[in-house]
Amino acid sequence: MSENVAIIGVGSTAVRAVTPEVSYRELTFEAAQRAYADADISHTEIQSAVCCEEDFFEGISIADEYTPDQLGVVLRSVETVTGDGLHGLAVAAMQIQTGIFDVVVVEAHSKASNILNFDHVIEYALDPIWNRPLGFHPEFVAGLEMNRFLKESGASVEDCDRVVAKNRTNALANPIAAYPARITAEDVAQSPDTFSPMRKMHQARRADGAVVLVLASEERARKASRPIWITGTGWANDTPTLESRPWGSDAATRAAAKMAFGEAGISDPDKEIDFFEVDDLYAYRELLTLASLGVKDGAGKINTSGGSIGMGHTLDTIGLYRVAMCVEALRNGSAGTALAHAWRGVPTTSAAVAILSNNHG
Amino acid sequence: MKPNFGTPLSSADIESGKVFSVSYEPRLEYAWDTGPAIGRYLQELKNGRLVGRKCHKCDRTFIPPRHFCELCFRPADEWVVLENTGTVNTFSICYVTWDMKKLTYPQIPAVIEVDGASEGYGILHLIADVDPNEVKVGMKVQAVWKPAEEREGSITDLKHWSPLK
Amino acid sequence: MRIPADHEHSAWKGNLPFGSFYTVGLAGQAFFEALRDRGEILGARCSKCEWVYVPAALFCERCFAELKDYTPVAHEGDVVSFTLCHLDLEGERLDPPDIVAIVRLDGAQSVLVHRGLGDPSEWSIGARAKVRLRDDREGSILDIEGFELI
Amino acid sequence: MTKFVRRAQETPPELSWAAAKAALDSAGMTLDDIDCVIHGTAPDAFDGVHYNGEYLAGGSGAWGKPYTRCYVGGGTGVFAPIHAWMHLASGKFKTALVVCEEKMSSCQPHPQGAFLTIFDHTTERALGPNLLWIFALEQQRYMAKHGIKNEEIALASVKNKRNALDHPSAQLGAELTVEEVLASEVMAHPVHRLMVSPTSDGAAACVMAVEDVAKAVTDKPAWIEGVGWALDTAFWTNRDLYYPRYVEKAAWMAYKMAGIEKPAEEIDFAEPYDPFAYKELHHLEGLQLAPKGQAPKLLAEGHFNRDGKLPSVPSGGLLGVGNPIAAAGMMKICELFWQVRGEAGKRQVKGGNPRRGVAQAWGDLMQVGTVIVVGAS
C-alpha cells in the first residue's frame, strides 16, 4: 500500500439471535463506545465514517440517513456503501491513503431479527425478469452452486457436515458467538434436506450484532497502543446474472485474493498466513473459499472463532466480525498474519479480502 | 453528445401489451425493536404526554428522545416531561397524499417546537382545526390528544396540534 | 402498530408499501417476441469474446460491446447443475420438492435457469435436457414450462 | 448520458450500460483500461431490486473488477465521483468508471410513494409524510427567515427549464414565465407543481483517471480540484432548516482542497442541486456563492443566468433535464466536464473558457451535502 493504515480500535457487541432490548441505534452505539475506548480516542477526533448497509435489511429507504448519530459523527464526512463491512474497510483505508483523513471509522450492524420475512427480501434480489417469476425459494441459488462445486472439486456432503461440526464446536470457546454447540458430523447428517444436496444445518443462522472499527494513518497509529496493520485489501465482483456465472468456482474471491495478496506481498498463503476467518454462510462455501484462496492445508487455522455458522449470519457485518476475530488473534499472539474474507450471500457474486498483520512493510 | 438510449414509453405502449412487462408485489415486513428511548416515548404517548431526554453535559433537552447524546457521545441523563404546547417552526399546506392522490381537504404538516425542549427542538406532526390561511411560522399551538381508550402507543395518539387558545 | 415484545420491550411493526413494475428491456423485448411468436430461445453473440448469451442481452458484460447478432439456440443442452428445493418461499416443506436446474443449451455459453420436470431422483449433472414450451405463450419466462430430461 | 425520460423501456442494467459505454467511448477507452468501477443509485425502492448495487454490476462494467456501490441519498450523484476519487487519490488504482442510474418508474403505485419510507419508521411514517412535505417545510422556513417571496423563487424554475431547452437529454425543457409557474397547482404550499422536478428514468457516467493516464488520453482533461462531503444528524426536526450548514461544511472542505479562499470570486459557474426551485438558491448560499438570504435578489438581477457573472445550472438542472436521482447528480458532473472543455454548445458559459466550476448535490432528510470543484486544463 502506498501509505500504511492500521486498525487502532475494535468494538463489537455480542452476536445474539434476538436483541429486543435495543434498536439499531443503541446496538451500534455500544459497538462504537467499545471501539473508541479500545482506540483510546474521543469521538471528536473522528473525521469520517463508512457505513455498510442495505435499505431492505433496515426497512428504510435511503437508510444512510440514520447513520451519523450513533457513531458520534454528526456533520462530518459520512458515506454508506452497500457492501459487506470488508468493502467498507477497504474504502476507509483508501480515504486515509488519500491523505485527507487520519482517523476514519467503519460500521456495520445487523438487526436481522427485525426482518419478518427474510426470504422474501432475498427473493426481491433475484432478477425480476428472468429468475424471480419462477417463484422458487431464493436459496436454490446456493443449492445449485453447492451441487456443481461438489461435482467439480470432488468434495463430499460429509466434508460439509464436518465443516459445520468444526465451526459450531469452535464457537464454544467464543463468548460472543450466538450458536455454539457440541455436535458431530453425524448430527449434521441427520438434519433435514433443504436445497439438496444442502441440509438445514449447513446454513448459517441469522443473528443480530454490530461492529465498529477505528482506522488510522501510520502517523496517528504510532500513538495507539495496539495497532494492527492492514497490509492488503482486495474486492471484486463476478457477473450478477445467474446465467453467466461459472457455478463450480468463485471467481470473485479469486480476483479479490489476487489483489490483496499482491498488495501484501503474499505468494503462498499456506506458509505466510496462519489465521483465516472466511465465509461459511453455507458449509460448502468454506471449502469453496479455501480453494479460491489457494489454501491447501488449513488444519486448525480456519474459522477458529466458529465462523458465521458458529457465531451467526450478521448480514453485512460478517466481514467486520471476521476482522474483529483476526485482530484478537493478532493481539494475543496466536497469529502473525491473518486473512479475513466475506461473501455477501445469494444471489450475489461479491467478495472481499483483507490481510492483517502485527507488522507492515 | 446526442444520447442513443433512454427509450421513452407511453402508457399506451404498456397497456396495449406492445411492450412486455412484469409486475411484482414484494413483501417487505419488519418489527423494528424500539429500544429504550423510543419505547418509552411511545409508551408516554399512550399516557397522553410528550417526553424528552436531557444531557447534563451539553444541557440540551431533545425530542424525539434518544438513549444517548449524539453530540457528547455519552448516555443521556434523565427523562423530562415536556409541555403540551409548542411553536410552529415551519409548516406546509399539502394537497396530495404520500402516494400522490389528491386531497380535497389539505393536510397541514409542520415542525412543532415543543415547549420544555431546547430551543428549536421539534417534531414532525400535523396541525388541524384551523383555517390553513391562518397558520403562521411562530404561531403558538397546543397538542390535541385522542381519548385515552383510543391511544395505542403511537405518534398518532397525539391527534394533531391546533392554535393555542 | 406497536407490539409489546414483553413487559419492558416493544417493537413497531410496519412494511414498505410499494410494488414494482418492470419493463423487460430492449433485449428482453426481442427475446420474448421470439419466444412467444416463434417458440425460439434467442441468444446474443459477442464475436469478440466468443460468447453467446442466453437469454439475449443488449451488451456483452465482458467487453461491453453492443450485441446485435441475435440468433436462436437449440432447445436441448447439458444439465450444469440442479438442486431439489424442499422449502417454498414461505418456508413450508414441499413434497415432492421443486427441481431447479441450470442447462447450457447447445450453441450457448451461458445457462438458462428454470424448473426441472419429472422425477427428482432421475436428475443428474451432465444429463441431457430439453425445453418444454407452453402452448399459450404471452411473453414471459413462464412461457417455458421447464426442462425435461431426454 | 442516456436521455432522461418519464418511463424508459431499458432495464436498469441496460440504462447503466448505455451511459457507461458512452463515457468510455468519449474517453476513447475500453473496459480493459478500467481498474475499478463505482456505482451510485439510491434508494432500492425505485429500481425495485434488493441488493440493487449487485444487480447493476454487470451493466456498470464490473465483471471481474473491484466494484462498490456508494450512496448518500439524493447526494449520491455527486458523491459517486468523490468515492471514485478516493480510489484514485489513494494510489491504489489509475482509472475508474463511475456510473449512476435510477429507474423511478418501476416504483408503484407512484414513484413518490417510495419517499414515505425514508422517514423514521416508528415516529414519523404513521403521519403519512411525503417528499413534498420536507421540501415545503424547508422552503417555508427559508422564506420566513429572510422574508423571501414565492415570485423570487419561481424564477429559478423559469431559468432552469429554459436552459434545459438546449440539453439533448432533457425531459422538461420549457419557455415559461413566473406567472405560469405560480399559476400551476399548489402541491404543498408554498411549492407549486412547476417548482418540482419530475420523476425520471435515466443514467449518466464518467471516466476518471490519475494525472499521467489522463494526459495520455486527452489534451484537455477536466481536473478534480477539490471534493467535500458532510452528513448532518438524522434528527432533522432539531435543526434550523433555513440554511444548509452541511453544504457549507462540504463546500469548505472542497474549496480548501482546491485552494479557494473567496468562492464567489474564484468560481466561474455552478451546478447546485435543484430538485425544487428554492433548493438552487438555498444551495448557492450554502456553497458561499451568495450571502445568506441574498440568492433570490442576485437571481432576479440576472447574476445566475448563462450570461451572468456566475452562471448557475446552465445544464437546465433537475427542474429541466429531469431527476433520475443519482443520475441527475452525475449529469451535473457531466456538465462541468463539457463546460470546462468548452464543449457545452448552446449551453456554454464564459465564452467557452470557464476556469473552474462547482457541482453540488443534496439528500437524505435535508441532511447531506456533496461538493466537487472541477477545473479546466
Side-chain angles (χ1 to χ4, degrees), chain A residues 10-346:
Chain A
V10 176
S12 65
T13 70
V15 185
R16 290 289 174 258
V18 295
T19 48
E21 73 283 5
V22 287
S23 74
Y24 68 92
R25 287 190 209 272
E26 294 90 17
L27 189 75
T28 306
F29 177 69
E30 179 190 332
Q33 289 233 312
R34 288 177 186 275
Y36 305 166
D38 187 46
D40 192 23
I41 61 164
S42 156
H43 68 290
T44 55
E45 206 186 324
I46 297 160
Q47 294 157 300
S48 169
V50 180
C51 303
C52 301
E53 59 187 355
E54 286 281 354
D55 281 4
F56 299 150
F57 286 151
E58 303 300 316
I60 301 168
S61 287
I62 324 184
D64 68 292
E65 294 165 351
Y66 297 94
T67 53
D69 301 284
Q70 53 273 22
L71 291 173
V73 294
V74 169
L75 214 48
R76 269 166 267 167
S77 296
V78 182
E79 69 161 304
T80 291
V81 171
T82 59
D84 179 83
L86 274 183
H87 291 98
L89 178 88
V91 169
M94 285 193 289
Q95 287 191 1
I96 290 170
Q97 288 171 329
T98 65
I100 62 172
F101 299 132
D102 287 314
V103 181
V104 179
V105 300
V106 187
E107 179 268 344
H109 65 269
S110 163
K111 278 294 261 182
S113 67
N114 287 186
I115 305 168
L116 296 182
N117 38 21
F118 190 85
D119 298 333
H120 279 263
V121 175
I122 300 300
E123 182 80 354
Y124 204 36
L126 294 177
D127 186 288
I129 313 298
W130 308 114
N131 307 135
R132 210 190 296 157
L134 301 175
F136 298 120
H137 189 296
E139 286 182 291
F140 79 81
V141 176
L144 288 175
E145 187 177 61
M146 176 175 175
N147 208 8
R148 184 74 201 176
F149 168 67
L150 296 185
K151 175 89 176 175
E152 287 185 16
S153 68
S156 66
V157 177
E158 291 71 30
D159 292 333
C160 299
D161 295 344
R162 282 188 280 277
V163 167
V164 177
K166 168 180 74 73
N167 290 357
R168 297 288 294 271
T169 309
N170 282 349
L172 290 164
N174 182 349
I176 67 167
Y179 302 114
R182 293 182 76 184
I183 55 164
T184 64
E186 289 69 36
D187 296 327
V188 178
Q190 299 299 315
S191 83
D193 294 327
T194 50
F195 308 95
S196 303
M198 192 179 296
R199 300 201 177 96
K200 189 162 194 288
M201 287 177 76
H202 290 156
Q203 303 171 234
R205 290 159 67 190
R206 288 182 294 278
D208 296 353
V211 180
V212 173
L213 304 179
V214 182
L215 272 57
S217 62
E218 175 154 12
E219 192 184 346
R220 179 63 186 79
R222 291 278 167 223
K223 293 183 217 155
S225 59
R226 294 184 296 177
I228 296 297
W229 301 93
I230 302 169
T231 57
T233 58
W235 64 102
N237 279 59
D238 195 358
T239 174
T241 71
L242 300 187
E243 288 76 15
S244 289
R245 56 181 68 175
W247 288 106
S249 58
D250 179 357
T253 293
R254 278 209 308 269
K258 188 178 170 204
M259 180 176 162
F261 289 170
E263 262 180 19
I266 286 173
S267 50
D268 183 349
D270 274 322
K271 290 207 183 89
E272 296 167 73
I273 301 173
D274 43 22
F275 193 85
F276 294 84
E277 284 283 324
V278 301
D279 166 55
D280 62 336
L281 283 183
Y282 305 97
Y284 79 90
R285 290 284 315 185
E286 182 173 304
L287 304 174
L288 174 54
T289 299
L290 294 175
S292 309
L293 294 173
V295 176
K296 292 169 201 77
D297 174 24
K301 299 192 289 194
I302 313 295
N303 288 335
T304 55
S305 67
S308 294
I309 286 176
M311 286 181 71
H313 173 355
T314 50
L315 311 183
D316 284 321
T317 319
I318 289 173
L320 296 189
Y321 273 112
R322 305 276 72 74
V323 170
M325 296 298 111
C326 290
V327 169
E328 187 180 293
L330 291 163
R331 282 179 174 176
N332 71 21
S334 55
T337 301
L339 178 148
H341 163 265
W343 164 67
R344 298 195 70 207
V346 293

